[in-house]
mmCIF file of all heavy atoms in Angstrom:
data_model
loop_
_atom_site.group_PDB
_atom_site.id
_atom_site.type_symbol
_atom_site.label_atom_id
_atom_site.label_comp_id
_atom_site.label_asym_id
_atom_site.label_seq_id
_atom_site.Cartn_x
_atom_site.Cartn_y
_atom_site.Cartn_z
ATOM 1 N N PRO C 3 10.550 -108.221 -73.544
ATOM 2 C CA PRO C 3 10.046 -108.241 -72.212
ATOM 3 C C PRO C 3 11.196 -108.106 -71.101
ATOM 4 O O PRO C 3 12.366 -108.630 -71.401
ATOM 5 C CB PRO C 3 9.474 -109.738 -72.150
ATOM 6 C CG PRO C 3 10.251 -110.428 -73.136
ATOM 7 C CD PRO C 3 10.629 -109.495 -74.212
ATOM 8 N N CYS C 35 13.977 -118.477 -89.835
ATOM 9 C CA CYS C 35 12.946 -118.667 -90.749
ATOM 10 C C CYS C 35 12.291 -117.345 -91.221
ATOM 11 O O CYS C 35 12.064 -117.046 -92.436
ATOM 12 C CB CYS C 35 11.855 -119.545 -90.277
ATOM 13 S SG CYS C 35 12.335 -121.286 -90.041
ATOM 14 N N THR C 68 9.171 -88.878 -126.302
ATOM 15 C CA THR C 68 8.433 -87.853 -127.005
ATOM 16 C C THR C 68 7.946 -88.459 -128.352
ATOM 17 O O THR C 68 7.648 -87.624 -129.174
ATOM 18 C CB THR C 68 9.264 -86.650 -127.287
ATOM 19 O OG1 THR C 68 10.542 -87.077 -127.877
ATOM 20 C CG2 THR C 68 9.681 -85.979 -125.995
ATOM 21 N N ALA C 106 -15.172 -88.587 -95.701
ATOM 22 C CA ALA C 106 -14.389 -88.895 -94.461
ATOM 23 C C ALA C 106 -14.908 -87.909 -93.304
ATOM 24 O O ALA C 106 -15.044 -88.317 -92.153
ATOM 25 C CB ALA C 106 -12.920 -88.763 -94.664
ATOM 26 N N THR C 184 -9.581 -82.729 -77.661
ATOM 27 C CA THR C 184 -9.530 -81.477 -76.906
ATOM 28 C C THR C 184 -9.473 -80.235 -77.799
ATOM 29 O O THR C 184 -9.859 -79.205 -77.432
ATOM 30 C CB THR C 184 -8.191 -81.443 -75.994
ATOM 31 O OG1 THR C 184 -7.125 -81.647 -76.837
ATOM 32 C CG2 THR C 184 -8.211 -82.589 -74.970
ATOM 33 N N LEU C 185 -8.854 -80.509 -78.932
ATOM 34 C CA LEU C 185 -8.801 -79.350 -79.932
ATOM 35 C C LEU C 185 -10.135 -78.871 -80.380
ATOM 36 O O LEU C 185 -10.528 -77.699 -80.486
ATOM 37 C CB LEU C 185 -8.012 -79.735 -81.163
ATOM 38 C CG LEU C 185 -6.961 -78.760 -81.629
ATOM 39 C CD1 LEU C 185 -5.967 -78.365 -80.610
ATOM 40 C CD2 LEU C 185 -6.181 -79.395 -82.933
#
Side-chain angles (χ1 to χ4, degrees):
Chain C
C35 288
T68 56
T184 56
L185 223 56

